[in-house]
Amino acid sequence: MSVRILALVGSLRAGSHNRQLAEAAVKHAPEGVTIELFEGLADIPFYNEDVDVEGSVPAEAARLREAAGQADGFLLFTPEYNGTIPAVLKNAIDWLSRPYGAGALSGKPVAVVGTAFGQYGGVWAQDETRKAVGIAGATVLEDAKLAIASSVVRFAETHPADDAEVVADLLKVLEQFGSAGTAAA
């Protein structure tokens, strides 16, 4: 069995360490696991029920929902902005939570990981993200955690894909999808 995981990165910065962490997950995904890095979160308008009606959904939001609908699970990468989740990632969760009770996240496993400059690696943002996707109907993989502290120092000269400890930790997170019944045994 193959597993399709959609990766969403909550940082829009070109040199984002969270984007690099997502690239490492794509590069080192185990056999049978495909990770698609979604491009375009910056282009999705803020969620608004007035435009979330059949025939009026913005094309960028519809593209996100289509990609999410084809995914077996989600891997969310979040930095920490002022102690919480970045708006672009929260907006994606809002779009994916609708229609209420039947959104693209409903019942699908989600793991939240990330890296941040601070000493705790963005755990507050990760906790807030887990809370939001859980309320949105996803199955939060509570044991799939990875918070990498001091990203500016840690990844100053080494891409996360070339950091053996980071790769091993990412693989442990991906194993949790198997425990959730989405990956091949």
Side-chain angles (χ1 to χ4, degrees), residues 4-175:
R4 293 185 65 177
I5 297 173
L6 186 63
L8 304 178
V9 178
S11 174
L12 303 178
R13 190 171 61 86
S16 162
H17 294 122
N18 279 284
R19 180 172 181 81
Q20 291 176 3
L21 191 60
E23 291 167 353
V26 169
K27 179 178 180 179
H28 294 287
E31 188 175 333
V33 175
T34 302
I35 300 174
E36 174 192 350
L37 181 54
F38 185 83
E39 302 288 353
L41 288 185
D43 301 323
I44 300 170
F46 282 113
Y47 183 78
N48 178 345
E49 277 188 89
D50 292 341
V51 298
D52 189 11
V53 294
E54 195 167 330
S56 296
V57 175
E60 298 85 357
R63 191 171 70 80
L64 172 64
R65 283 179 171 168
E66 181 180 341
Q70 296 172 5
D72 299 311
F74 301 88
L75 186 53
L76 308 184
F77 295 84
T78 186
E80 189 168 273
Y81 293 170
N82 299 312
T84 193
I85 180 176
V88 69
L89 188 56
K90 176 62 169 67
N91 188 49
I93 293 167
D94 291 344
W95 278 103
L96 294 175
S97 71
R98 299 292 191 265
Y100 181 76
L105 291 169
S106 277
K108 292 184 180 178
V110 176
V112 180
V113 299
T115 185
F117 174 73
Q119 66 181 338
Y120 302 112
V123 295
W124 289 348
Q126 290 181 31
D127 288 344
E128 291 292 318
T129 304
R130 285 183 193 94
K131 175 184 169 186
V133 295
I135 291 170
T139 301
V140 178
L141 301 178
E142 293 291 348
D143 292 334
K145 294 183 179 180
L146 176 58
I148 303 169
S150 305
S151 61
V152 174
V153 175
R154 175 122 189 207
F155 302 126
E157 296 181 20
T158 304
H159 190 286
D162 300 324
D163 184 316
E165 181 182 4
V166 168
V167 171
D169 289 342
L170 278 170
L171 291 174
K172 288 178 190 172
V173 167
L174 292 172
E175 287 173 8

